[in-house]
């Protein structure tokens, strides 16, 4: 008998009277998670319960007995604390923001930020790693800066797996269910109180979706959920796990995020004009925006494409092809067969949108390519990653030189208030005032770090390390009890690590390229380093390997096995179940953060940035963000950015370099003390690190950069195209059709340079070009020279573009163009000419196949 059919359901919520009602208001706005006064308010309710609920105030309020809550009203101290925090939240939501002050002409901009995962707090486990943490920090800074932004993601019933290690050190996974009714989530409903539902029908799948809202300060985050009774069992599983399941599950989740996300926003009355795709997972949203515009305004696919792509921004986080989703054509046929037709596209045209070469039927459909083709702005997440991405995707724009590809970079950052320790924050307030909180990007404020007395900064550093050691011992003890260790082993856990000793941290996803075991290549040498009686060292590891990544799991097992050896038992600890809580303790407590990826595989990395806000120092391979952050006096670089063909040899070289650096520089530097036991030169390095890194690597700087370089230009372009009933977009499409039809007539007949060889530096060279344009008017093309220094293979390196002006018409559609090159550098130079279409309002238009090099 199916009892579920007979089940009546209802939700029980805590009953908080007027005086205590603000507790619930604060608990349901994740602003509390970066406001120390709010955190201490909840901890005050019941410190043990606070710990056991993974710091979830909503669940806590549900568990606390009504009598306990009533008693609080008589506690004057608590009530004053509650009123103060409630007032702080109101003030935060009220105050005039950076966006209002600096961008008030763009108040009709509406941004939607789509991501597969969001790492906002450990009590809401819908994230796996760096991508999610970055998305969470992006929303928090968008809230602080007052952006008109909403987030869109999926609400996973089990989120990402929790990790524990068996006696051998082998990673085991378990998937606890998220109880949505005990999380800071609100189910969106219509006026009659019925939950809002969005219908999705793709291929043979048809299901309903509910929308939950998480309030992140001023920014709402909408999360989609398919676990509804009316859905079939297999459809309920679409939002079961983050990065679980096979390719088919992945494409369904991405349809739900991109297409379902746009439909969910519409059902809420939100129509964004700028959509930000955080990684390629969300790229289907561009197709849905195009489809809706075609349906609503009766325009063609190409007309809608011009408008929609102007308002799309794409951020790629992956420096390797393998990390990007590729789908086989039959999977797209299965789910998009009908959808092709609604876009008025033939099957091959549709599949071509996801291929670098649209005509190559052997190529799979790549989500990053789709995003690149349908976004007006695209970026990598560090300068180096921008270069790597341009090399990786250059075939999307085959005729452009690499440095001119429309793929830039905006370096990642971290949300200062989420990651900085209370100890460090109060020290900074004492010596820097509160300006660094309101505007973390102001270099002048951070320069005042120099004024903090060395002894005080060092004391703060020590108390943070003590907290970390205390946390590591507590976690290790819990781990041992779980696997049934002996009383003696559990007693030893209380003595591991030493709060006075130089502490190195290594915590991240255990992907093999991050080389978690690089330090373990010479165990005898490592033992001498860690157990030096004069200058001891200790290392704390944490991290998860993807459930299917056996090599990553093997790395964890090796570390755990080494930590069990007698000589390392007190010096190496692996903390299991890496999450935001573990990360917070580690980045706040370590002295040195070790980062050893295989260059250039780390797109950016952000944990090292969090460490610098807490006075910790970075020791890293020159990869990702560290290429920009490292300034010789503010941390250490392993190697000089070399890339080797043989990775085994590279591991050998770089592990030796790591030992040398520790032995000769870092450890002596740390233990060099004055009579007051303060390591003055170490503290000087801490100060240099904070002054140079803190104002640059914050998400406030990053989000401001997205506003100025992506969101505002996207919005401006979108406005131009839709103005006057989409006049410009329609004109542009017709213009392109006419130009592209006539384009085969265009050719460069001759290029001339008035030059003597050699040319003196500083002189100018006149260049001219005879160009046949056929029926195309002179003002509809751009004739340009591309010149620069030649490399050893005879290619131009990092060339410059100069425009050639129209000189005269030579008859029969042939024209003469002139310009000049300024020779600013010595060496072998070269120049080439090119012709591309040029629109009278929008300037140069590049599309593959319509750029001619002479």
């Amino acid at each position: 008998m199916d009892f579920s059919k007979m089940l009546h359901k209802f939700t029980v919520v805590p009953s908080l009277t007027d005086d205590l009602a603000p507790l619930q208001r604060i608990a349901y706005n994740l602003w509390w998670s970066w406001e120390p006064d709010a955190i201490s308010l909840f901890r005050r309710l019941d410190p043990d319960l606070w710990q056991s609920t993974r710091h979830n105030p909503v669940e806590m309020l549900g568990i606390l007995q009504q009598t306990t809550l009533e008693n609080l009203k008589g506690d004057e101290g608590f009530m004053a604390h509650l009123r103060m925090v409630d007032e702080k939240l109101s003030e935060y939501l009220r105050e005039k923001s950076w966006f209002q002050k600096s961008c008030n002409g763009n108040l009709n901009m509406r941004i939607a930020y789509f991501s597969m995962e969001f790492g906002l707090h450990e009590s809401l486990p819908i994230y796996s790693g760096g991508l999610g943490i970055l998305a969470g920090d992006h929303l928090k800074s968008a809230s602080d800066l007052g952006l008109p932004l909403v987030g869109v993601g999926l609400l996973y019933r089990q989120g990402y797996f929790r990790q524990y290690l068996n006696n051998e050190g082998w990673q085991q996974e378990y998937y606890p269910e998220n109880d949505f009714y005990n999380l800071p989530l609100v189910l969106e409903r219509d006026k009659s109180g019925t939950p809002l539902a969005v219908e999705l029908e793709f291929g043979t799948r048809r299901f309903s979706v509910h929308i939950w809202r998480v309030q992140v300060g001023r920014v709402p985050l909408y999360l989609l959920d398919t676990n509804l009774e009316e859905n079939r069992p297999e459809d309920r599983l679409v939002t079961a796990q983050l990065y679980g399941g096979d390719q088919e599950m992945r494409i369904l989740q991405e349809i739900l995020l991109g297409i379902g996300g746009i439909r969910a926003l519409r059902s809420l009355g939100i129509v964004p004009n700028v959509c930000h795709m955080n990684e390629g997972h969300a790229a289907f949203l561009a197709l849905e925006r195009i489809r809706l515009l075609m349906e609503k305004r009766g325009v063609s696919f190409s007309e809608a494409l011009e408008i929609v792509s102007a308002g799309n921004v794409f951020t790629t986080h992956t420096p390797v092809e393998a990390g990007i989703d590729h789908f086989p054509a039959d999977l797209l046929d299965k789910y998009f067969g009908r959808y092709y037709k609604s876009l008025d596209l033939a099957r091959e045209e549709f599949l071509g949108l996801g291929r670098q070469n649209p005509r190559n039927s052997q190529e799979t459909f790549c989500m990053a390519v789709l995003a690149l083709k349908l976004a007006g702005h695209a970026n990598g997440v560090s300068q180096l990653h921008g270069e790597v991405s341009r090399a990786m995707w250059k075939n999307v724009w085959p005729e452009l030189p690499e440095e001119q590809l429309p793929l830039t970079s905006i370096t990642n950052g971290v949300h200062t208030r989420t990651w900085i320790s209370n100890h460090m924050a109060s020290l900074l307030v004492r010596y820097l005032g509160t300006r660094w909180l309101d505007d973390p990007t102001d270099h002048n404020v951070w320069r005042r770090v120099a004024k903090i007395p060395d002894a005080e900064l060092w004391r703060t550093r020590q108390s943070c390390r003590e907290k970390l050691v205390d946390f590591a011992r507590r976690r290790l003890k819990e781990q041992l009890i779980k696997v049934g260790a002996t009383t003696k082993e559990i007693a030893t856990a209380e003595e591991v690590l030493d709060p006075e000793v130089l502490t190195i941290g290594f915590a991240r996803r255990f992907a093999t390229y991050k080389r978690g075991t690089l330090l373990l290549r010479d165990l005898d040498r490592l033992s001498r380093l860690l157990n030096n009686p004069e200058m001891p060292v200790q290392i704390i590891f944490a991290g998860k390997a993807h459930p299917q990544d056996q090599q990553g799991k093997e790395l964890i097992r090796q570390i755990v096995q080494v930590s069990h050896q007698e000589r390392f038992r007190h010096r190496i600890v692996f903390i299991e179940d890496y999450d935001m809580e573990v990360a917070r303790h580690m980045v706040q407590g370590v002295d040195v953060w070790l980062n050893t990826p295989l260059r250039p595989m780390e797109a950016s990395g952000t944990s090292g940035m969090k460490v610098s806000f807490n006075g910790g120092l970075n020791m890293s391979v020159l990869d990702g963000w560290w290429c920009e952050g490292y300034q010789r006096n503010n941390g250490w670089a392993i190697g000089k950015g070399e890339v080797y063909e043989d990775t085994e040899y590279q591991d050998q070289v770089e592990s030796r370099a790591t030992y040398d650096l520790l032995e000769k520089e870092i450890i002596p530097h740390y233990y060099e003390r004055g009579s007051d036991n303060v390591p003055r030169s170490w503290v000087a390095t801490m100060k240099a690190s904070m002054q140079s890194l803190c104002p640059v690597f914050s998400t406030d700087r990053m989000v401001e950069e997205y506003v100025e370089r992506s969101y505002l230009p996207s919005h401006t372009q979108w406005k131009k195209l839709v103005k006057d009933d989409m006049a410009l977009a329609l004109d542009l499409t017709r213009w392109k059709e006419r130009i592209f039809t006539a384009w085969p007539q265009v050719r460069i007949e001759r290029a001339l340079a008035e030059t003597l060889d050699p040319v003196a530096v500083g002189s100018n060279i006149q260049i001219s070009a005879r160009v046949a344009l056929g029926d195309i008017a002179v003002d509809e093309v751009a004739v340009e020279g591309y010149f620069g220094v030649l490399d050893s293979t005879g290619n131009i390196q990092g060339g410059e573009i100069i425009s050639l002006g129209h000189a005269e018409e030579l008859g029969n559609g042939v024209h003469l163009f002139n310009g000049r090159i300024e020779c600013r550098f010595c060496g072998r130079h070269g120049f080439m000419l090119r012709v591309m279409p040029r629109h009278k309002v929008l300037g140069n238009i590049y599309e593959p196949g319509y750029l001619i090099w002479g």
Side-chain angles (χ1 to χ4, degrees):
M1 191 176 195
D2 184 359
F3 286 107
S4 64
K5 297 264 194 304
M6 302 155 67
L7 196 63
H8 296 280
K9 300 196 171 84
F10 53 90
T11 308
V12 180
V13 296
S15 150
L16 297 175
T17 51
D18 297 351
D19 296 351
L20 291 172
L23 267 177
Q24 199 145 347
R25 172 173 112 105
I26 298 161
Y28 275 88
N29 189 328
L30 279 173
W31 163 86
W32 68 259
S33 69
W34 69 90
E35 177 47 64
D37 284 328
I39 293 170
S40 60
L41 175 77
F42 290 127
R43 188 182 287 116
R44 239 177 124 155
L45 283 170
D46 185 330
D48 294 335
L49 192 55
W50 178 242
Q51 204 57 44
S52 63
T53 58
R54 279 181 102 183
H55 313 130
N56 177 352
V58 175
E59 189 181 345
M60 255 175 89
L61 292 175
I63 293 171
L64 286 172
Q65 294 301 314
Q66 212 54 48
T67 45
T68 315
L69 291 168
E70 288 301 315
N71 290 343
L72 288 172
K73 295 203 308 207
D75 181 339
E76 285 178 25
F78 180 84
M79 293 310 289
H81 191 165
L82 173 58
R83 283 191 296 274
M84 181 264 285
V85 172
D86 188 39
E87 181 48 42
K88 234 179 178 176
L89 173 56
S90 299
E91 196 181 322
Y92 175 84
L93 297 173
R94 246 193 338 253
E95 67 195 3
K96 195 169 183 193
S97 68
W98 171 84
F99 185 81
Q100 288 167 314
K101 290 174 197 159
S102 57
C103 312
N104 58 5
N106 285 277
L107 292 181
N108 59 350
M109 177 159 74
R110 291 284 169 274
I111 309 156
Y113 179 91
F114 287 69
S115 180
M116 199 74 160
E117 45 170 316
F118 285 90
L120 291 157
H121 188 257
E122 60 268 20
S123 62
L124 189 61
I126 53 168
Y127 61 93
S128 78
L131 180 75
I133 303 294
L134 179 89
D137 282 8
H138 193 109
L139 294 194
K140 291 170 182 176
S141 274
S143 166
D144 290 344
L145 296 167
L147 265 61
L149 180 142
V150 302
V152 181
L154 305 185
L155 183 57
Y156 303 100
R157 197 170 79 231
Q158 297 175 329
Y160 202 52
F161 70 93
R162 302 282 301 273
Q163 173 202 52
Y164 70 96
L165 305 174
N166 67 13
N167 282 331
E168 296 299 301
W170 194 255
Q171 170 179 297
Q172 311 286 311
E173 296 92 19
Y174 64 107
Y175 291 87
E177 297 261 324
N178 283 328
D179 174 3
F180 297 168
Y181 293 93
N182 274 317
L183 286 169
L185 301 168
V186 178
L187 188 58
E188 291 290 343
R189 299 172 184 274
D190 62 18
K191 286 194 175 73
S192 67
T194 313
L196 276 178
V198 176
E199 297 294 325
L200 276 185
E201 190 173 350
F202 278 83
T204 54
R205 309 288 280 259
R206 183 182 182 157
F207 50 84
S208 239
V209 184
H210 278 177
I211 309 161
W212 297 78
R213 175 171 52 85
V214 179
Q215 197 61 37
V216 186
R218 300 174 167 123
V219 166
L221 164 60
Y222 298 104
L223 299 170
L224 311 181
D225 168 25
T226 66
N227 183 28
L228 317 181
E229 280 164 27
E230 59 264 36
N231 288 338
R232 290 178 306 193
E234 64 271 29
D235 295 329
R236 295 180 71 162
L237 292 176
V238 174
T239 53
Q241 285 177 8
L242 170 60
Y243 305 142
D246 54 9
Q247 269 202 310
E248 188 148 358
M249 177 56 81
R250 183 59 78 90
I251 201 170
L252 278 165
Q253 289 187 332
E254 298 187 1
I255 288 169
L256 175 60
L257 176 65
I259 296 173
I262 289 289
R263 290 183 191 175
L265 290 178
R266 296 206 152 228
S267 74
L268 293 160
I270 299 167
V271 182
N273 38 39
V274 175
C275 285
H276 186 164
M277 305 174 255
N278 189 39
E279 202 41 283
H281 308 131
F284 290 138
L285 71 81
L287 299 174
E288 180 66 2
R289 292 184 76 194
I290 288 171
R291 188 190 69 79
L292 287 165
L293 194 59
M294 288 170 71
E295 194 179 88
K296 184 181 169 196
R297 307 298 292 266
V299 293
S300 69
F301 178 83
S302 48
E303 289 161 342
L305 172 81
E306 295 294 347
I307 293 171
V308 168
S309 55
N312 283 339
V313 175
F314 168 52
T315 297
T316 172
H317 294 260
T318 314
V320 281
E321 273 267 13
I324 304 267
D325 289 321
H326 289 259
F327 296 119
D330 57 354
L331 205 51
L332 284 138
D333 290 338
K334 180 173 177 179
Y335 288 111
F336 283 91
R338 277 210 305 274
Y339 202 83
Y340 304 158
K341 297 184 184 72
S342 65
L343 293 170
D344 229 359
L345 293 178
R347 173 181 184 267
E348 282 306 308
E349 287 177 300
F350 184 92
L351 293 173
L353 292 171
R355 293 174 178 155
Q356 298 204 44
N357 174 0
R359 286 180 289 282
N360 176 7
S361 60
Q362 299 310 302
E363 225 185 290
T364 50
F365 187 96
C366 172
M367 295 300 283
V369 171
L370 179 67
L372 287 167
K373 287 185 175 180
L374 301 182
H377 289 82
N379 66 281
V381 287
S382 69
Q383 284 169 16
L384 177 65
H385 182 233
E387 289 166 30
V388 169
S389 300
R390 286 190 286 277
M392 207 164 126
W393 302 116
K394 59 178 185 278
N395 296 337
V396 177
W397 308 277
E399 297 99 342
L400 289 180
E402 224 164 87
E403 71 276 359
Q404 285 203 306
L405 301 181
L407 177 52
T408 59
S409 67
I410 292 178
T411 302
N412 282 345
V414 298
H415 185 248
T416 313
R417 300 192 66 170
T418 295
W419 297 104
I420 197 164
S421 75
N422 292 347
H423 287 298
M424 187 56 78
S426 48
L427 178 74
L428 292 179
V429 168
R430 244 187 353 266
Y431 288 96
L432 276 59
T434 53
R435 267 301 300 279
W436 67 275
L437 286 168
D438 307 329
D439 180 9
T441 62
D442 186 340
H443 282 265
N444 291 326
V445 174
W446 288 100
R447 283 195 192 101
R448 290 190 216 143
V449 165
K451 300 218 176 353
I452 302 174
D454 289 356
E456 271 195 74
L457 186 54
W458 183 242
R459 259 206 311 280
T460 305
R461 183 78 238 105
Q462 283 180 300
S463 62
C464 292
R465 189 187 321 104
E466 280 162 20
K467 266 187 80 171
L468 170 61
V469 167
D470 185 47
F471 173 76
R473 286 173 178 170
R474 202 169 60 238
R475 285 295 282 260
L476 190 60
K477 194 172 160 183
E478 286 166 19
Q479 283 165 221
L480 290 167
I481 291 169
K482 258 189 253 162
V483 293
T486 63
T487 324
K488 184 169 181 252
E489 285 172 321
I490 293 166
T492 324
E494 315 233 324
E495 293 159 17
V496 299
L497 307 176
D498 178 336
E500 297 292 317
V501 165
L502 171 61
T503 305
I504 297 174
F506 181 99
R508 47 193 36 85
R509 267 189 316 124
F510 264 78
T512 41
Y513 79 85
K514 291 178 185 273
R515 298 190 296 179
T517 53
L518 197 68
L519 255 190
L520 310 184
R521 284 181 71 93
D522 182 343
L523 290 179
D524 292 337
R525 189 168 179 190
L526 182 64
S527 174
R528 289 197 298 277
L529 279 179
L530 303 192
N531 293 309
N532 177 342
E534 307 297 309
M535 300 188 285
V537 180
Q538 57 201 15
I539 310 171
I540 302 178
F541 287 95
K544 293 174 171 179
H546 187 278
Q548 269 99 57
D549 181 5
Q550 299 307 317
Q551 286 174 299
K553 290 182 178 183
E554 173 55 29
L555 295 179
I556 293 176
R557 194 190 65 80
Q558 286 173 24
I559 293 170
V560 174
Q561 292 282 354
V562 168
S563 76
H564 288 167
Q565 288 183 24
E566 197 49 52
R567 56 184 170 165
F568 294 121
R569 206 179 279 280
H570 290 275
R571 295 276 179 251
I572 297 179
V573 167
F574 190 100
I575 299 178
E576 66 184 41
D577 202 22
Y578 185 42
D579 66 354
M580 284 180 78
E581 183 188 11
V582 176
R584 236 186 353 259
H585 277 93
M586 286 189 68
V587 299
Q588 291 173 4
V590 298
D591 297 297
V592 174
W593 192 254
L594 178 65
N595 185 35
T596 51
L598 266 175
R599 179 185 160 110
M601 305 270 282
E602 185 81 273
S604 168
T606 56
S607 42
M609 303 173 186
K610 296 162 191 159
V611 170
S612 52
F613 279 94
N614 289 291
L617 300 175
N618 279 277
M619 171 193 190
S620 171
V621 167
L622 284 169
D623 196 8
W625 79 282
W626 192 232
C627 301
E628 295 158 59
Y630 175 58
Q631 293 178 7
R632 289 192 154 72
N633 68 339
N634 64 350
W636 295 275
I638 301 167
K640 296 190 173 65
E642 303 89 350
V643 175
Y644 300 82
E645 289 295 306
D646 179 347
T647 53
E648 173 54 33
Y649 176 66
Q650 181 164 358
D651 288 356
Q652 202 181 324
V653 169
E654 292 186 340
S655 71
R656 274 210 299 271
T658 307
Y659 291 131
D660 287 346
L661 200 53
L662 283 167
E663 204 169 85
K664 297 182 177 128
E665 287 192 42
I666 297 176
I667 300 171
H669 191 51
Y670 178 88
Y671 283 106
E672 193 183 303
R673 305 289 165 97
S675 54
D676 55 1
N677 205 24
V678 174
R680 301 273 168 199
S681 68
W682 184 274
V683 173
T685 312
M686 281 168 63
K687 287 181 173 179
S689 165
M690 293 176 82
Q691 289 170 313
S692 58
L693 304 176
C694 294
V696 180
F697 296 101
S698 74
T699 34
D700 277 31
R701 185 270 315 149
M702 177 190 89
V703 171
E704 284 174 16
E705 221 172 305
Y706 274 111
V707 170
E708 284 149 11
R709 289 177 47 196
S710 300
Y711 299 163
L712 287 176
S714 287
H715 183 235
T716 306
Q717 184 82 331
W718 174 85
K719 269 198 312 201
K720 265 189 203 164
L721 289 165
V722 294
K723 204 169 96 184
D724 302 330
D725 226 11
M726 305 188 295
L728 183 56
L730 301 177
D731 170 69
L732 178 62
T733 315
R734 285 192 294 270
W735 177 84
K736 275 187 177 179
E737 274 170 19
R738 179 171 63 78
I739 294 288
F740 293 168
T741 307
W743 198 250
Q745 303 169 23
V746 177
R747 63 185 186 282
I748 297 171
E749 292 190 339
R750 203 168 73 210
L752 288 172
E754 298 166 14
T755 137
L756 305 160
D757 207 19
V759 180
V761 73
S763 53
N764 290 325
I765 297 175
Q766 290 298 321
I767 56 173
S768 58
R770 277 177 59 142
V771 183
L773 295 178
D775 300 334
I776 296 176
V778 165
D779 60 357
E780 293 185 313
V781 296
V783 178
E784 297 174 327
Y786 175 67
F787 81 101
V789 179
L790 297 179
D791 65 12
S792 57
T793 57
N795 288 316
I796 294 174
Q797 279 301 303
E800 274 182 65
I801 293 288
I802 55 142
S803 290
L804 276 67
H806 184 246
E808 60 176 305
E809 188 174 342
L810 303 172
N812 294 335
V814 178
H815 300 261
L816 184 68
F817 292 83
N818 289 334
R820 62 193 180 85
I821 293 172
E822 191 186 341
C823 302
R824 296 199 302 275
F825 307 101
C826 293
R828 190 87 181 130
H829 283 63
F831 85 92
M832 298 160 73
L833 290 176
R834 68 181 195 185
V835 182
M836 65 199 294
R838 179 154 188 253
H839 187 269
K840 59 182 184 295
V841 179
L842 298 167
N844 292 7
I845 301 285
Y846 167 73
E847 271 195 30
Y850 301 100
L851 188 153
I852 294 169
W853 288 94

